[in-house]
């Protein structure tokens, strides 16, 4: 007689799979107000402008547990939601939002590591959010969510409080610069992109926003303060220094000591402090703020 092997079952994932370059967490409600945690949610976004991605087979492996079913397709720029309690979520936010499912476990109110792996076990996303110093206070039980605004998701400066109370699940949260970067329509000498990046207004002259200010603390440490438009997730703002006004390099020897957030304006003042006191007779250095599009 003929012997047949057992049927092998294989699952084939088609199309573009989720990977670090095309998937991120855009919003996190880890500590909804009140004692109940049943209004937690995580919003994911497809960062690709052109490709639909397949999340099937990928899974949250740390923090919370959730495995994406095969054929979880996310169109370019689209968002999806995972929630702690589908029923509670629908009664607060309504039906019709792109909820893919309910996860096991809860998002730690004190912050924790979140990891998403693909079907082969490769890391798609690995970051740790926090509720501590420099992190958005409104999202820590104050009725706001954590909104992602930057690529380094372990960094407090890459997150802000949501503009809306209870966040905006399924909706876009950040702004994008539109216009001519080098324009200066209000004639205040500050280019439009820099005004946008620092929370200035390109429709009215305002010189204070765009330039970092420098002061010296009572114990002789230089402090640098810069303004940031926290809604701008499309801009890198970097401080650079030079001795000769010709070759600029990233500022070094400073540590960020505070992020003073103003959620009503969507802005923050970020303060850096020199790690060592100013020395007598040091050569003159110059500082500039550089805004570039990601
Ligand atoms: Ca929680
Ligand atoms: Ca959102
Ligand atoms: Ca201007
Ligand atoms: Ca202006």
């Amino acid at each position: 007689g003929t012997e047949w092997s057992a049927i092998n079952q294989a699952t084939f994932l088609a199309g573009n799979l989720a990977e670090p370059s095309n998937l991120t967490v855009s919003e996190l409600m880890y500590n909804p107000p009140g004692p109940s945690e049943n209004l937690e949610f995580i919003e994911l976004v497809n960062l690709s402008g052109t490709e639909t991605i397949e999340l099937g087979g990928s899974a949250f492996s740390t923090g919370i547990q959730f495995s994406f079913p095969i054929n979880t397709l996310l169109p370019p720029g689209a968002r999806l939601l995972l929630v702690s309690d589908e029923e509670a979520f629908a009664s607060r936010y309504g039906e019709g939002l792109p909820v893919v499912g309910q996860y096991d476990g809860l998002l730690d109110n004190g912050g924790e590591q979140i990891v998403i792996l693909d079907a082969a076990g490769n890391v798609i996303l690995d970051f740790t959010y926090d509720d501590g110093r420099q992190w958005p206070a409104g999202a820590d039980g104050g009725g706001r969510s954590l909104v992602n605004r930057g690529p380094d998701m372990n960094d407090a400066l890459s997150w802000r409080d949501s503009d809306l109370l209870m966040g905006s699940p399924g909706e876009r949260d950040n702004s994008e610069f539109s216009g001519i970067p080098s324009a200066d329509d209000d004639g205040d000498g500050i280019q439009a992109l820099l005004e946008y990046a620092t929370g200035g207004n390109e429709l009215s002259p305002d010189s204070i926003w765009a330039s970092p200010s420098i002061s010296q603390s009572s114990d002789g440490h230089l402090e640098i303060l810069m303004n940031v438009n926290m809604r701008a997730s499309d801009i890198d703002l970097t401080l650079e220094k030079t001795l000769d006004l010709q070759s600029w390099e990233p500022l070094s020897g400073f540590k960020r000591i505070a992020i003073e957030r103003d959620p009503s304006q969507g802005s923050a003042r970020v303060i850096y402090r020199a790690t060592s006191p100013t020395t007598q007779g040091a050569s003159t250095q110059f500082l500039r703020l550089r805004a570039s599009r990601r």
Side-chain angles (χ1 to χ4, degrees), residues 183-192 195 201-206:
D184 183 19
D185 290 341
D186 61 358
D188 61 3
I190 308 160
Q191 296 182 338
E195 294 226 35
N201 184 348
E202 175 53 7
L203 300 175
S204 70
D206 45 357

Side-chain angles (χ1 to χ4, degrees), residues 158-175:
S158 289
W159 296 91
R160 65 177 178 87
D161 287 314
S162 60
D163 293 330
L164 295 175
L165 269 175
M166 301 308 289
S168 59
E171 302 290 331
R172 168 203 182 99
D173 304 282
N174 290 315
S175 61

Side-chain angles (χ1 to χ4, degrees), residues 37-57:
E37 299 299 308
N38 66 6
L39 289 177
E40 285 186 0
F41 66 83
I42 299 180
E43 181 189 82
L44 295 170
V45 64
N46 176 355
L47 297 171
S48 164
T50 52
E51 309 288 347
T52 292
I53 56 173
E54 161 73 282
L55 279 83

Side-chain angles (χ1 to χ4, degrees), residues 52-187:
T52 292
I53 56 173
E54 161 73 282
L55 279 83
S58 55
F60 283 81
S61 69
T62 305
I64 53 166
Q65 280 77 50
F66 183 83
S67 297
F68 289 93
I70 303 302
N71 222 22
T72 304
L73 299 175
L74 197 55
R79 287 153 208 276
L80 64 74
L81 297 163
L82 299 175
V83 301
S84 59
D85 182 330
E86 283 180 300
E87 208 175 310
F89 184 88
S91 64
R92 172 60 180 79
Y93 292 98
E95 307 280 349
L97 289 172
V99 176
V100 163
Q102 183 174 302
Y103 50 78
D104 292 324
L106 288 172
L107 296 163
D108 197 309
N109 290 354
E112 71 180 320
Q113 185 184 16
I114 300 288
V115 177
I116 305 178
L117 301 177
D118 69 13
N122 302 308
V123 173
I124 300 176
L125 212 59
D126 179 352
F127 69 97
T128 302
Y129 67 92
D130 200 353
D131 68 340
R133 216 169 56 89
Q134 298 196 19
W135 283 76
D140 189 16
R144 310 280 166 174
S145 62
L146 268 187
V147 170
N148 176 8
R149 58 175 300 278
D152 181 1
M153 295 164 76
N154 295 302
D155 183 359
L157 194 53
S158 289
W159 296 91
R160 65 177 178 87
D161 287 314
S162 60
D163 293 330
L164 295 175
L165 269 175
M166 301 308 289
S168 59
E171 302 290 331
R172 168 203 182 99
D173 304 282
N174 290 315
S175 61
E176 249 172 54
F177 178 77
S178 61
I180 302 162
S182 61
D184 183 19
D185 290 341
D186 61 358

Side-chain angles (χ1 to χ4, degrees), residues 211-239:
S211 42
S213 65
I214 305 176
S215 60
Q216 194 158 16
S217 67
S218 53
D219 59 351
H221 292 248
L222 281 182
E223 287 187 1
I224 299 170
L225 185 154
M226 69 171 188
N227 294 294
V228 178
N229 173 5
M230 296 298 280
R231 294 185 181 119
S233 56
D234 52 343
I235 303 288
D236 277 318
L237 260 183
T238 42
L239 289 161

